[in-house]
Amino acid sequence: MKRIYQLFLAFNSTWLIVVVYLVKEKYKFNILDSYPMYYSWAIFILIPIFLTALSFLIALKLPKDNLRSNSVTEIELANNNFLPTYLGYFFVSLGVNDISTLIVVFGVIYVFTYLSQTLYFNPIFLLFGYHFYFIKTTTNVKIFLITRKKLKVPGDEEFENLKRINNYTFIDL
Amino acid sequence: MANYIFGKVKRKQKMFRIIETETQVYDIANLVLNGIDYNPATLIEDEELYKLTNFSESDYCLDFLTNELNTVEHDQISKEDLKKLSFICTVQDSLYFFQIINSTFFISKKWFSIDELTLETEKPIITINSFADAIYDKQQDILYFKKLTSAQKIFKGMDQLYKEATEAESETFLENDFLEVSQDFVVAQISIPNRKRIALVNETLNRLSDEEKLAIYNYTNQYGQVVYENGKFKIESDDDLKFVLWGIEQRFYTTQVGGEKRVANSIISI
């Protein structure tokens, strides 16, 4: 169950590669043939947004964890960390010329995103008002936290209801 | 309030997170934590508990207990590790309930649930006892336990609280000038209970002045279990040794009414 969810999250965060490729190649849905291609593109982009929304619902069923406010020693905003990664993805997909190459490239990036574990960066989370943080605790454990809260000063916020995506990544719903 | 169960895996130092549950694993409402300060000379009843106060300052306390509990710092346990658990710890409010896991708690028999009538074969389960082996109250900083032998499996080094005298220590003890040990009785013949008593008595003797020692020997002699001649007890057997050790610990007493001579099996200082 948890593994499937992790695969699902990795899929959401890498799917934009495919979207960029489809847009570049000017693909559109057959049923929307008579409409401008922007409609189809909007749907391409809406797919990961919809799936990401769904991932929040699934996350509600994940195991619960806590983090006490006075155990946080360091907070680092990681919102921008995904940008270089994503720009990389986009340039790659812009360079891909056919579907079969795309499948292989997407497959490789997908597998590594999944295996990297620590990085479930999905910029779509930002659209839902979530922020990414690296948090260090008093026992020097560093975790990756996805939360709607604005964190700045260690010790301000208490997390009683975190959901464990994996041993390093937690989401605060 | 979520309750968490953690587990310690053999040969791994850290604690793993096992499960989170909203269910009360232990019935806190009816839990009476009322312990007797640990002393090897005190035996407790079945329903009673020993306690160690200021436990976090002791050498055998775990970091897990002293640090603030953040479950995010603990990795989720893997299936393979679950089979190698040495103990589990259930955290409810500020109480930490420890249970040693040994093969008896690890049921790998065939079983079926009464709710769901399907036979399970390859699904071993771990059962949780209604009473924990040790309970740590973080607010009061007190550790409660029933048996030192169980507690020391969790808190390594706790056996220091009740150690047996070593061969050398026993040897030194037998060489004391108030004992006259028979040729036939050698250190190897000292039983384990007596070795434990020797470890305790050594401390007692060190605290006593020479007059007090003499008073103790006379007192022991009054109860006349061992031959006492020229200031020496004649030790011919492990049993003789036991009576002398009891004497030094002042375990003998006479009832106020009736004047019956008795030996105290367990003592509590009041």
Side-chain angles (χ1 to χ4, degrees):
Chain A
M1 165 65 200
K2 228 173 110 188
R3 190 135 303 163
I4 294 168
Y5 185 65
Q6 290 171 1
L7 285 165
F8 182 60
L9 284 183
F11 179 83
N12 289 344
S13 59
T14 44
W15 177 251
L16 284 178
I17 295 170
V18 179
V19 173
V20 170
Y21 173 80
L22 293 176
V23 169
K24 184 193 77 157
E25 295 291 308
K26 304 204 168 22
Y27 273 90
K28 61 170 159 175
F29 285 111
N30 286 336
I31 39 166
L32 296 173
D33 236 354
S34 48
Y35 296 95
M37 59 182 90
Y38 296 111
Y39 285 88
S40 296
W41 293 358
I43 291 173
F44 292 150
I45 293 170
L46 281 174
I47 291 172
I49 295 177
F50 172 74
L51 290 178
T52 303
L54 193 66
S55 75
F56 292 134
L57 290 179
I58 300 174
L60 287 172
K61 293 208 160 44
L62 286 178
K64 211 157 112 181
D65 277 288
N66 71 359
L67 176 63
R68 307 240 173 269
S69 57
N70 50 2
S71 306
V72 176
T73 53
E74 236 178 84
I75 295 172
E76 186 192 331
L77 187 68
N79 276 0
N80 305 327
N81 288 30
F82 71 91
L83 253 176
T85 321
Y86 267 84
L87 286 177
Y89 288 179
F90 293 162
F91 287 129
V92 165
S93 51
L94 287 172
V96 172
N97 289 321
D98 53 88
I99 288 279
S100 46
T101 317
L102 175 77
I103 292 171
V104 174
V105 169
F106 176 72
V108 169
I109 293 175
Y110 175 66
V111 166
F112 281 108
T113 306
Y114 171 73
L115 292 179
S116 77
Q117 298 269 314
T118 38
L119 301 175
Y120 283 103
F121 280 136
N122 180 350
I124 297 164
F125 279 13
L126 293 170
L127 291 181
F128 287 92
Y130 284 88
H131 303 282
F132 304 103
Y133 296 96
F134 284 112
I135 300 249
K136 209 165 162 186
T137 70
T138 34
T139 44
N140 270 334
V141 177
K142 202 171 176 186
I143 60 155
F144 187 64
L145 184 67
I146 305 167
T147 175
R148 272 202 165 106
K149 289 175 184 156
K150 289 243 189 248
L151 308 182
K152 197 153 194 179
V153 184
D156 274 2
E157 298 282 354
E158 179 121 350
F159 301 93
E160 276 296 338
N161 206 356
L162 293 176
K163 303 289 180 184
R164 181 178 292 241
I165 295 172
N166 62 37
N167 285 333
Y168 308 95
T169 316
F170 298 85
I171 183 162
D172 176 32
L173 291 173
Chain B
M1 180 78 187
N3 304 313
Y4 294 93
I5 300 183
F6 293 88
K8 162 83 171 58
V9 176
K10 288 186 186 94
R11 282 183 289 278
K12 289 190 184 175
Q13 285 314 304
K14 58 182 182 175
M15 296 286 282
F16 287 90
R17 174 194 190 284
I18 303 178
I19 41 176
E20 171 264 325
T21 171
E22 296 294 322
T23 320
Q24 291 264 312
V25 183
Y26 291 95
D27 185 7
I28 290 190
N30 295 320
L31 183 73
V32 183
L33 283 179
N34 200 353
I36 297 164
D37 277 318
Y38 182 74
N39 180 337
T42 308
L43 301 176
I44 51 167
E45 300 282 329
D46 259 1
E47 299 77 21
E48 287 178 320
L49 291 167
Y50 287 119
K51 72 173 178 192
L52 284 178
T53 45
N54 298 329
F55 185 64
S56 61
E57 286 159 29
S58 67
D59 293 339
Y60 18 87
C61 185
L62 306 172
D63 287 344
F64 177 68
L65 295 181
T66 42
N67 291 340
E68 192 84 39
L69 185 71
N70 294 302
T71 62
V72 296
E73 292 169 3
H74 298 273
D75 284 356
Q76 181 65 40
I77 196 161
S78 66
K79 270 214 171 111
E80 298 83 74
D81 278 350
L82 270 171
K83 293 175 190 150
K84 292 183 280 181
L85 280 175
S86 58
F87 65 81
I88 56 171
C89 176
T90 308
V91 184
Q92 274 176 253
D93 297 333
S94 62
L95 294 174
Y96 292 65
F97 297 84
F98 289 91
Q99 178 183 311
I100 299 164
I101 300 292
N102 52 40
S103 47
T104 52
F105 296 114
F106 202 82
I107 302 180
S108 45
K109 288 179 189 163
K110 294 184 175 65
W111 57 274
F112 61 87
S113 146
I114 294 168
D115 289 335
E116 216 173 308
L117 292 172
T118 47
L119 190 71
E120 299 287 0
T121 49
E122 292 294 313
K123 287 193 176 163
I125 58 171
I126 291 170
T127 51
I128 295 169
N129 285 356
S130 52
F131 205 89
D133 290 310
I135 302 171
Y136 177 65
D137 183 336
K138 191 166 179 160
Q139 249 159 22
Q140 312 286 330
D141 196 11
I142 300 176
L143 181 81
Y144 298 91
F145 59 97
K146 259 192 184 324
K147 282 188 197 151
L148 187 71
T149 43
S150 307
Q152 62 148 311
K153 284 182 188 157
I154 301 163
F155 307 104
K156 296 278 178 253
M158 232 171 107
D159 50 339
Q160 284 173 0
L161 289 170
Y162 192 168
K163 59 179 171 62
E164 289 169 30
T166 60
E167 200 92 345
E169 283 169 327
S170 307
E171 186 85 53
T172 324
F173 180 77
L174 289 185
E175 280 162 12
N176 267 317
D177 43 13
F178 65 94
L179 297 178
E180 191 187 319
V181 183
S182 136
Q183 296 288 328
D184 304 334
F185 188 67
V186 288
V187 173
Q189 284 168 278
I190 304 178
S191 62
I192 287 173
N194 272 348
R195 276 178 193 267
K196 289 179 175 172
R197 285 180 197 123
I198 289 174
L200 289 174
V201 157
N202 273 337
E203 281 178 38
T204 316
L205 279 177
N206 287 339
R207 280 200 304 269
L208 297 176
S209 66
D210 284 351
E211 286 119 62
E212 282 173 324
K213 279 182 187 165
L214 265 179
I216 290 265
Y217 304 148
N218 284 326
Y219 152 84
T220 308
N221 188 37
Q222 275 169 32
Y223 287 82
Q225 300 292 330
V226 187
V227 183
Y228 184 58
E229 277 174 10
N230 310 324
K232 283 173 190 281
F233 289 101
K234 272 200 167 141
I235 306 291
E236 282 168 342
S237 67
D238 193 51
D239 226 30
D240 290 341
L241 186 62
K242 180 175 77 183
F243 283 111
V244 173
L245 292 167
W246 269 341
I248 298 168
E249 287 285 324
Q250 301 182 58
R251 294 286 193 100
F252 298 116
Y253 68 102
T254 309
T255 54
Q256 290 276 327
V257 181
E260 189 188 350
K261 286 183 176 176
R262 289 182 178 172
V263 61
N265 185 28
S266 164
I267 54 161
I268 298 174
S269 299
I270 46 175

